[in-house]
Amino acid sequence: MHVVSFPMLPDLLRLGQTCRCLQELLLCADVGTEEFAALYKAQRYLRHPSPVMLSLVLRGLITLSKTPETARKIPVLLPDIMETLQDANADVKMKALVLLRNMMGHMKREEASVIALQLAEKLLPLFDDVSSQVRELSISFFEGVMKTVVGRNVKKMKKKVQRVLLPLFLHMNDQIESVAKVSDQRPTGDAGKGGQ
C-alpha cells in the first residue's frame, strides 16, 4: 500500500477555516467596516505566499463581492488586493481584478473616485502581462475605472490617462484579437465629467 503525503494539507485546512471566518465576518451585519478592518489586519489573509491559497481566499472574496452589503466592506482590504496584482500567477491577478471590479460596482461614486486614482497606477503594468486574459481584463477595467472619477479627482486622473495612452495605442496591434479590440476602445475624453 502506497501512502500519498500532502505537505500543504494542514495549511489548506487552516486556510479553509480562515476563509470561512473572513466570510462570516463580512456577512455579519453587526460587524462594521472599522471592526472588520481591525480583525483583518491581525491576520492579513491576502499576504499568503502560496498562489493556491491566495487564489482560494480571492475566490471566496469574489463570491462575497457580488452583494452590496459585503462589497462595501472590501475596500478595507484594498492595499493587499492591489498587492496581489503584482503576483506572478495569472489566475491570482484575474481573480483580484474581478474582485476589484465587483467591489467598485457597488460603491458610491465619490468613494469609487478616490479608489480609481489608486487603481490606475496599479493597472498600467498589467497591460503588458504575459497572459492575454489579464491584459484584456485590465484594459477593460481601466476604462471602467476612468469613468468613475468625479469632482476634484478628474484633473489627477487625466494626468494618469495621458501616461496610459501610448501603452494602449501599442496594444491596438496586439496579437490577441480581443486585447486589440479592447485597446481600440480609447478613452473618450469624458472620463469623470462631473458624475453624469
Side-chain angles (χ1 to χ4, degrees):
M1 179 174 179
H2 186 276
V3 177
V4 178
S5 157
F6 294 101
M8 288 183 57
L9 189 58
D11 284 343
L12 284 172
L13 292 174
R14 268 195 306 278
L15 185 65
Q17 292 169 339
T18 299
C19 285
R20 278 191 300 282
C21 178
L22 181 61
Q23 288 175 338
E24 289 171 13
L25 284 171
L26 278 168
L27 289 170
C28 183
D30 299 12
V31 177
T33 305
E34 294 81 20
E35 294 168 294
F36 175 72
L39 292 168
Y40 173 77
K41 286 178 182 171
Q43 297 295 320
R44 300 307 268 234
Y45 306 108
L46 290 166
R47 296 267 174 133
H48 201 283
S50 166
V52 172
M53 293 187 189
L54 189 52
S55 182
L56 181 63
V57 171
L58 287 168
R59 187 171 58 197
L61 288 171
I62 287 169
T63 301
L64 293 170
S65 70
K66 292 177 182 176
T67 62
E69 299 80 31
T70 54
R72 288 190 192 113
K73 292 181 185 178
I74 292 176
V76 169
L77 312 175
L78 199 57
D80 288 350
I81 296 169
M82 287 198 285
E83 192 67 33
T84 64
L85 293 174
Q86 310 310 313
D87 196 281
N89 185 301
D91 179 59
V92 168
K93 287 186 256 192
M94 289 291 293
K95 285 181 177 159
L97 287 168
V98 169
L99 173 61
L100 289 166
R101 184 184 62 201
N102 290 355
M103 177 195 76
M104 295 283 286
H106 291 294
M107 296 182 73
K108 293 178 182 166
R109 197 102 189 243
E110 295 77 25
E111 296 168 333
S113 180
V114 173
I115 293 172
L117 287 172
Q118 297 169 22
L119 280 174
E121 295 288 323
K122 296 293 185 178
L123 293 174
L124 184 57
L126 299 179
F127 294 178
D128 294 320
D129 198 81
V130 174
S131 166
S132 63
Q133 291 175 315
V134 170
R135 289 194 309 268
E136 182 181 349
L137 184 57
S138 64
I139 291 169
S140 174
F141 184 47
F142 183 79
E143 181 183 7
V145 163
M146 284 186 335
K147 291 178 180 178
T148 64
V149 178
V150 294
R152 65 183 197 268
N153 294 323
V154 172
K155 193 178 226 181
K156 294 175 187 175
M157 181 56 96
K158 282 184 180 181
K159 289 180 183 179
K160 292 177 191 271
V161 168
Q162 288 171 349
R163 286 194 300 254
V164 170
L165 287 178
L166 181 59
L168 280 175
F169 177 74
L170 295 173
H171 281 289
M172 287 172 57
N173 296 320
D174 200 296
Q175 297 294 329
I176 309 299
E177 185 180 333
S178 61
V179 175
K181 184 177 178 181
V182 169
S183 299
D184 192 35
Q185 297 170 351
R186 290 176 217 91
T188 58
D190 65 350
K193 278 193 177 173
Q196 292 178 7

